[in-house]
Amino acid sequence: PVGTTVTIYGTGFSATPASNVVKFNGTTTTVLTASTTVLTANVPVGATTGTISVTVAGTTATSAAIFTVGTGSAPTLASFSPAVAGYGATVTLTGTNYDTTPANNRVAFAAAIGVVNTATATTLTLPVSASAQTGKLSVSTALGQATSAQELFVAPSGVIAADIQYTGRITVNGPTVAASITTTSPPIRADLNYFIVDARFLLPSG
């Protein structure tokens, strides 16, 4: 519906939102956020069903698929399980207004797209894709998009998801974060995965 935030995936976008011109079947909208591979924009007033185009520095790319401007309700994402999963593990998303045709639901693990295996109006299941990253999940249908409040922690290769007792984020030069775990077989191993802005960490037992 009009006003729904849509995520557009591709390449060659400008990281400056205003430098990307996005049109829904010819109707221009304002880009909200931008990276070189992902844009977000709201469906503008006056938009009709059709293709989505992105123009950057005079070069235009147009979606192969048709975007439907519907009158129904956008999806919601109330929860997902498990909270920690390894590559290939099945994740179940619970919410409302999903398309009962699996392929019509687009689920992203942060920026990595997954393939939905089963779908009902309230539940989706899919495996964690090989390129998935720790982060929030999002679900898109023809009627809109929803993003999870919590993050899915994707266990690094070689780490068993069931062994992870605690996950969290620490900000470089930020406040102290206390983690409490239970172990019956010391020593405890702490694995730290550092990123540019923050550090994501896990504490497996054993």
Side-chain angles (χ1 to χ4, degrees), residues 166 177-181 201 203:
Y166 182 90
V177 176
S180 176
I181 67 170
F201 60 94
L203 293 175

Side-chain angles (χ1 to χ4, degrees), residues 12 16-17 44 85 110 114 117 142 150 161 168-169 185 196-197 205:
T16 302
N117 286 337
Q150 304 300 320
R169 287 179 178 267
S185 54
I196 294 174
V197 178
S205 61

Side-chain angles (χ1 to χ4, degrees), residues 129-197:
S129 62
S131 57
Q133 300 175 350
T134 293
K136 294 183 178 182
L137 303 183
S138 65
V139 181
S140 301
T141 68
L143 298 178
Q145 176 180 297
T147 302
S148 64
Q150 304 300 320
E151 292 186 320
L152 170 71
F153 189 94
V154 179
S157 297
V159 177
I160 300 173
D163 288 343
I164 299 173
Q165 292 192 32
Y166 182 90
T167 67
R169 287 179 178 267
I170 55 176
T171 303
V172 176
N173 297 321
T176 300
V177 176
S180 176
I181 67 170
T182 301
T183 180
T184 57
S185 54
I188 298 171
R189 187 178 85 247
D191 292 334
L192 297 177
N193 296 315
Y194 289 98
F195 293 79
I196 294 174
V197 178

Side-chain angles (χ1 to χ4, degrees), residues 24-69:
F24 287 77
N25 202 27
T27 301
T28 303
T29 188
T30 300
V31 176
L32 303 176
T33 63
S35 72
T36 56
T37 57
V38 182
L39 303 177
T40 62
N42 289 340
V43 178
V45 174
T48 56
T49 296
T51 58
I52 296 175
S53 66
V54 179
T55 301
V56 181
T59 300
T60 300
T62 302
S63 64
I66 297 297
F67 180 83
T68 301
V69 179

